[in-house]
Amino acid sequence: MTGTTDRAAGPRAYEAVLASIEAELRSGELNIGDRLPGERTLSEKHGISRASVRDAIRILDVMGLVRTATGSGPNSGTILISDPAAGLSSTLRLHVASRHLPVADIVQARILLETWAAAAATERPLDEPSLARAAELLARMDDPALDREAFHDLDSQFHVLLSTLAGNAVVSAMMESLRLSIMDYVRHSVTTDEQWQPVGQALRTQHHGILDAVTARDGELAARLLRDHIEWFFTQTSH
Amino acid sequence: MTGTTDRAAGPRAYEAVLASIEAELRSGELNIGDRLPGERTLSEKHGISRASVRDAIRILDVMGLVRTATGSGPNSGTILISDPAAGLSSTLRLHVASRHLPVADIVQARILLETWAAAAATERPLDEPSLARAAELLARMDDPALDREAFHDLDSQFHVLLSTLAGNAVVSAMMESLRLSIMDYVRHSVTTDEQWQPVGQALRTQHHGILDAVTARDGELAARLLRDHIEWFFTQTSH
DNA sequence: ACACCAGTGTGGTCTGACCATACTAGGCGG
DNA sequence: CCGCCTAGTATGGTCAGACCACACTGGTGT
């Protein structure tokens, strides 16, 4: 098992385009924000059909490397972006669906990444604006009239924002993708408002505690609270 | 920024297939090893063209969820597999190429995941067969006649195997994908055999120390050695 | 000067065809 | 009866060409 040399998959036509774009990215010929040549141009340039070019672009799309738009003008066409979390999360979500990535493992990985991020954040210069934004998110979550959808949305933003404070783009992307990948799971785990009210209250309290710890630059406390926070919610929803 | 509801992308045709397959995966109708219906069948079933069906399958392919093979018989067609690391790593690699995921961040994330895995591994029942396999990998790496390509390959297997001992599939997949995503970088960082020889010797020694620590169930020591190991190699190659 | 509208280029989709492959079943010769 | 060999068949991979919806562009008419 774990053979390194995989199948001898025949050379795919679209790989030429992918390799070309990857090379141009590495060399700096292409940068975020640039527009890719049109599909018809690329097909001619690589000597393959437009359908195969579209395969490559579709792949870059799900990876979160480009966005496409129809029409004409500067905002149309295929444009390079950078949204690693989108690509990672869709991949993770489907693998979770296939039952080969247990939700428990995802939660454990989240704890690992988030607690590290919280601790690491306290060892860097204070990022006042981000902390202010985090506080504002919590304030909006305190509104008892907020429906669960909106709460989950703000909740997600709060956690992602916290993990961003550590300044590691890879960890942030993974964090966000882990969260997105189990968002459906979380959404459907609490089904009635009767179940929800007390849970929401507890989450609010925990969030404030975490943010306070981070603001006070107590990395150890922040990490512990975060761990308890995630573990607690998971046990609430997993039975 | 970080708006949750992203682009107002029009409904894509292939999404119907993706959603359908994801639902069947969740419900258990589909399982790893199963064959998907033929592309022509799916196109008729969803009322879309075969081209759009192929889009969906191509996406599943790059995600590491299916493999495709031409021909007829039980080994042909589109078959469900589970190779999360493949999909994650290709996404990561391209984002690294786009210069929006610094290599340093990847290395830092690897340290985080691997040290955790090593420590966690010592808190679980001993996995003798895996340890034996790890030892065998090291033995093969001790061969001074081994070329660098083969060494990197075994090296990679060793690290992935170690991270597997923690028993967390998500962490393992991320680990492997991080490693794959910077494999080119590592390969090209040491270019001459003169540079390589002493580096290889040091890596061998470090590997043995790490495995010894894990075997002795000293999680703290293993984590520390692993951190030093990765950081040391990175500093060797980054100047 | 302004409003309008045809033109143009973009990705999105569809249709239908052909190819290479790999297994399957049947025929043919032993 | 056995065994080899060939035609058949179903698969994904690729291509070509067409049409659509969309959004900006630039000229045209008032």
Side-chain angles (χ1 to χ4, degrees):
Chain A
M1 289 310 151
T2 65
T4 49
T5 57
D6 279 316
R7 68 204 94 283
R12 307 288 177 82
Y14 67 85
E15 285 173 3
V17 183
L18 281 184
S20 157
I21 289 178
E22 184 174 349
E24 289 178 40
L25 279 172
R26 281 192 203 283
S27 76
E29 275 176 88
L30 284 176
N31 284 291
I32 306 299
D34 290 354
R35 283 186 54 180
L36 255 52
E39 297 180 351
R40 294 158 179 91
T41 309
L42 284 175
S43 78
E44 192 181 347
K45 177 171 147 191
H46 291 93
I48 60 179
S49 72
R50 194 185 152 207
S52 295
V53 170
R54 287 183 57 72
D55 278 352
I57 293 187
R58 169 77 11 96
I59 290 171
L60 295 175
D61 185 36
V62 295
M63 283 181 174
L65 257 159
V66 303
R67 72 169 176 80
T68 60
T70 62
S72 146
N75 285 335
S76 73
T78 305
I79 296 179
L80 280 166
I81 60 175
S82 185
D83 189 0
L88 296 177
S89 68
S90 54
T91 301
L92 283 174
R93 204 184 68 243
L94 281 178
H95 279 284
V96 169
S98 80
R99 307 170 189 305
H100 268 244
L101 288 185
V103 174
D105 284 10
I106 291 211
V107 172
Q108 197 175 32
R110 256 194 68 191
I111 292 175
L112 171 61
L113 293 177
E114 290 203 52
T115 56
W116 175 86
T122 62
E123 292 170 6
R124 314 180 84 234
L126 265 182
D127 183 353
E128 293 288 358
S130 293
L131 289 178
R133 229 178 318 145
E136 190 215 323
L137 287 174
L138 291 191
R140 285 166 62 190
M141 272 189 271
D142 283 341
D143 177 4
L146 212 62
D147 63 32
R148 288 209 307 280
E149 285 297 315
F151 186 91
H152 283 319
D153 197 47
L154 294 170
D155 189 357
S156 193
Q157 288 185 47
F158 175 70
H159 280 270
V160 171
L161 185 58
L162 272 191
S163 76
T164 304
L165 294 179
N168 185 308
V170 175
V171 171
S172 296
M174 285 183 161
M175 242 298 298
E176 189 176 350
S177 65
L178 288 176
R179 210 153 203 298
L180 290 174
S181 69
I182 56 172
M183 178 134 39
D184 294 341
Y185 176 85
V186 169
R187 249 204 293 266
H188 295 97
S189 58
V190 183
T191 48
T192 69
D193 278 335
E194 289 72 46
Q195 293 178 332
W196 168 244
Q197 286 304 335
V199 174
Q201 266 319 319
L203 293 181
R204 289 183 178 96
T205 307
Q206 292 166 6
H207 281 164
H208 281 289
I210 292 166
L211 182 56
D212 288 347
V214 172
T215 306
R217 305 180 75 65
D218 187 341
E220 205 171 320
L221 177 62
R224 184 155 47 79
L225 292 177
L226 211 30
R227 171 188 303 276
D228 293 345
H229 170 58
I230 299 174
E231 278 178 351
W232 177 81
F233 183 70
F234 182 56
T235 58
Q236 291 296 306
T237 61
S238 63
H239 61 73
Chain B
M1 287 309 152
T2 64
T4 49
T5 56
D6 276 317
R7 69 206 108 281
R12 307 288 178 82
Y14 66 85
E15 285 173 3
V17 184
L18 241 36
S20 156
I21 290 178
E22 184 174 348
E24 288 178 38
L25 279 171
R26 283 191 202 283
S27 76
E29 275 176 87
L30 283 176
N31 283 291
I32 306 298
D34 290 353
R35 283 186 53 180
L36 256 51
E39 298 179 351
R40 293 159 179 89
T41 308
L42 285 176
S43 77
E44 192 181 347
K45 177 170 148 192
H46 291 92
I48 59 180
S49 72
R50 195 186 151 208
S52 295
V53 170
R54 286 182 58 72
D55 277 353
I57 293 185
R58 168 78 8 100
I59 290 171
L60 295 176
D61 185 35
V62 298
M63 283 183 175
L65 257 158
V66 303
R67 72 169 175 80
T68 60
T70 62
S72 144
N75 285 336
S76 75
T78 306
I79 296 178
L80 280 166
I81 60 175
S82 186
D83 189 359
L88 296 177
S89 68
S90 54
T91 299
L92 283 173
R93 204 183 68 244
L94 280 179
H95 279 283
V96 169
S98 80
R99 300 159 158 45
H100 269 245
L101 288 185
V103 174
D105 285 8
I106 291 209
V107 172
Q108 198 175 31
R110 256 194 67 192
I111 291 174
L112 171 61
L113 294 176
E114 289 203 53
T115 54
W116 175 86
T122 62
E123 292 169 7
R124 313 180 83 233
L126 265 182
D127 183 352
E128 293 287 359
S130 293
L131 289 178
R133 231 178 316 145
E136 191 214 324
L137 287 173
L138 291 190
R140 285 165 63 189
M141 274 189 268
D142 283 340
D143 177 3
L146 212 60
D147 63 33
R148 288 208 307 280
E149 285 297 315
F151 186 91
H152 284 318
D153 197 48
L154 294 170
D155 190 357
S156 193
Q157 288 185 47
F158 175 70
H159 280 270
V160 171
L161 185 58
L162 271 192
S163 77
T164 305
L165 294 178
N168 185 308
V170 174
V171 171
S172 295
M174 286 183 160
M175 242 299 297
E176 189 174 351
S177 65
L178 289 176
R179 210 151 203 300
L180 289 173
S181 68
I182 56 172
M183 178 137 29
D184 295 340
Y185 176 86
V186 169
R187 248 203 294 266
H188 295 97
S189 58
V190 183
T191 47
T192 69
D193 278 335
E194 290 73 45
Q195 293 177 331
W196 168 244
Q197 285 304 335
V199 173
Q201 266 319 318
L203 292 180
R204 289 183 179 95
T205 308
Q206 293 166 4
H207 282 163
H208 281 289
I210 293 166
L211 182 56
D212 288 347
V214 171
T215 307
R217 305 181 76 65
D218 187 341
E220 205 170 319
L221 177 62
R224 184 155 48 81
L225 291 178
L226 211 30
R227 172 188 302 275
D228 293 344
H229 170 57
I230 299 173
E231 278 177 351
W232 177 82
F233 183 70
F234 181 56
T235 58
Q236 290 298 306
T237 60
S238 62
H239 62 74

